[in-house]
Amino acid sequence: MGAAFLAGGLLTATPAVAANLLTNPGFEAGSLSGWSCSGGTGSVVTSPVRAGSGALAGAATASDNARCAQTVTVRPSTAYALTAWVRGNYVHLGVNGGAATWTPSASAYTKLTVSFTTGASQTSAQVYLHGWYGQGTYHADDVSLDGPGGGNDTQAPTVPGNPRVTGVSATSVSLAWNAASDNVGVTGYDVIREGGTTTSVTGTTATVTGLSPDTRYIFTVRAKDAAGNTSPVSIAVVATTAQGGGGGDRFIQAAPYLYLGWGNPPSATEVMRSTGVRWYTMAFILAQNGCNPAWDSQRPLLGGIDQSTIQAIRAAGGDVVPSIGGWSGNKLGPNCATPEALAGAYQKVIDAYDLNAIDVDIENTDEFENAAVQDRVLTALKIVKQNNPGLKTILTFPTYISGPSSWGNRLIERAHALGADIDNFTIMPFNFDGHADMYAATVTSTVALKDKLRSVFGWSDAEAYAHVGISGMNGSSDVGEITTAQTWTRIRDWANANDLGRLAFWSVNRDGPNWEFTRITAGFTG
């Protein structure tokens, strides 16, 4: 696999098209620039966001509905579309003196849309968002007023500079480029895949997904401004995706857990910028109404905060692996009656996000200590791996200090007997006796896992370690064991020295505000 530049990309101008006319539409400036909010009720927050690094928070009170507005120049007798993603109670979106819409309750980001046509002599329009009196804070993100600009701005942005490939997998390519400039302001970029789709982003990075393994692709980038002017396309950049399964490429992943269903989760992209981490293990996908996957058994795969967070992570050059299962909750393994049904549930998750990897966190008596469910999980993973070339599969399970339990040994032995072709066996070396030396305990249990894999699969030490992962717990474990940042650094360095395949910890939610463990984990190179 590799990447190279193709000099002499297309340099012809592109006609102006409709574009977002709003300033700071995704609040990525980190301020309310372009917006005016009543009574000082508006602010920009980093969580919860739909995409990017910021979102609007409107603190509605008993006497103020937290109205935030922006006025733009428009053309007379012209159709426009106004959209926004909102969450909260009684959130309104509209045009001053014109059309409006609202939602009574949105627990996750929900899209509102308003269409309107300007008057015969109208040259400006004020768009607004507001909550309702006494209903508390609402959030809004990615507001768009789509249509032709009304001013005299006919100057296109400059060409984005230095397009480059920053990463490839079997099914995706990550790109970055230098920002373009504009006489008024650049509002976004289009990444154009030759002969394929266009990916639109607001920043200077993007991850294009849905690609085929071991395939050559050509990309160009163009900038756009609020008036609908677009730059010439950049020089082209060429990338070749990684080989799929069986290609011999090592699977290496530094992926701390991020749990959007717990407390006040941090901004994934803010943590990425602060620490350099690129992968997240997203928790937890459980069963809803039988054999149907949903986040925490409640939130749908598409259309909510989970999907928007994944999109933001990928736009920032990262990726995710969903964690299916866990210690508690209603799990897919016991609820799906056959391996084929369970594979179908896994496939829904894979298709929803065009995944490169999935993790099944198999714990407790309902899955881990259940022979029938163990075999069902392994067979289902074998099916989805056969149906999705290049997909990587992970099993995460508990351990003793001495190594896998009898149930852990069975899981490994059955993975071999069933030909499940698992890419990584990740143990959770914590919750031992409450007084463990966490470095020594982690190393001892991991070496024992390596020895078991070597014995069962006939691998060398190096081959076995390449299939081993560690998922620790930062700070205090459930039984009071303490893993300090210094200890976690020693564990990471030992994992690097032995070329392990994966490093994770529970969790980024518990790591703020300095993200010390996340930063250490980002230094895992396998």
Side-chain angles (χ1 to χ4, degrees), residues 69-390:
Q70 183 175 148
T71 300
V72 298
T73 303
V74 294
R75 296 181 185 177
S77 303
T78 303
Y80 290 86
L82 174 63
T83 61
W85 291 83
V86 303
R87 56 182 287 170
N89 296 327
Y90 297 95
V91 188
H92 294 66
L93 173 71
V95 184
N96 198 36
T101 188
W102 62 288
T103 177
S105 178
S107 58
Y109 273 107
T110 301
K111 189 176 184 179
L112 297 181
T113 301
V114 173
S115 298
F116 66 98
T117 300
T118 54
S121 59
Q122 184 176 355
T123 59
S124 67
Q126 185 181 80
V127 301
Y128 65 81
L129 291 145
H130 67 73
W132 200 247
Y133 302 99
Q135 293 297 317
T137 299
Y138 70 88
H139 295 91
D141 203 356
D142 298 324
V143 190
S144 175
L145 179 61
D146 191 38
N152 297 318
D153 179 16
T154 59
Q155 182 174 329
T158 62
V159 180
N162 189 27
R164 54 201 180 272
V165 176
T166 57
V168 295
S169 72
T171 58
S172 68
V173 171
S174 295
L175 303 162
W177 54 90
N178 296 347
S181 61
D182 184 68
N183 62 317
V184 177
V186 174
T187 58
Y189 298 86
D190 291 329
V191 178
I192 305 163
R193 174 163 65 90
E194 183 177 274
T197 58
T198 296
T199 301
S200 296
V201 297
T202 57
T204 57
T205 61
T207 297
V208 181
T209 59
L211 307 179
S212 299
D214 198 21
T215 302
R216 181 177 181 268
Y217 291 95
I218 300 175
F219 301 93
T220 54
V221 184
R222 69 184 177 195
K224 51 192 177 183
D225 66 14
N229 302 305
T230 56
S231 75
V233 296
S234 69
I235 63 170
V237 62
V238 178
T240 300
T241 49
Q243 294 179 341
D249 51 317
R250 280 198 64 204
F251 176 54
I252 303 171
Q253 189 185 78
Y257 279 83
L258 177 64
Y259 188 17
L260 298 183
W262 173 34
N264 185 26
S267 165
T269 52
E270 178 184 321
V271 176
M272 291 171 70
R273 283 192 297 271
S274 298
T275 66
V277 75
R278 285 292 175 264
W279 278 88
Y280 288 104
T281 304
M282 298 277 288
F284 288 101
I285 287 181
L286 299 171
Q288 182 184 49
N289 301 324
C291 187
N292 186 54
W295 294 101
D296 286 341
S297 296
Q298 299 173 3
R299 304 188 303 280
L301 297 180
L302 299 177
I305 185 65
D306 305 278
Q307 182 190 20
S308 62
T309 299
I310 291 170
Q311 290 171 334
I313 290 168
R314 285 176 165 170
D319 209 345
V320 302
V321 52
S323 180
I324 303 173
W327 173 259
S328 60
N330 196 27
K331 300 164 195 171
L332 289 168
N335 277 278
C336 298
T338 66
E340 292 74 18
L342 183 56
Y346 292 163
Q347 190 66 50
K348 289 180 181 178
V349 183
I350 295 166
D351 291 343
Y353 308 117
D354 189 26
L355 293 175
N356 298 310
I358 62 170
D359 166 51
V360 176
D361 187 336
I362 183 167
E363 301 185 51
N364 219 325
T365 56
D366 55 350
E367 287 196 307
F368 184 58
E369 297 180 7
N370 184 314
V373 175
Q374 273 199 6
D375 287 0
R376 191 178 303 154
V377 167
L378 291 167
T379 305
L381 287 173
K382 177 180 179 179
I383 292 170
V384 296
K385 190 157 188 182
Q386 291 171 340
N387 292 337
N388 300 270

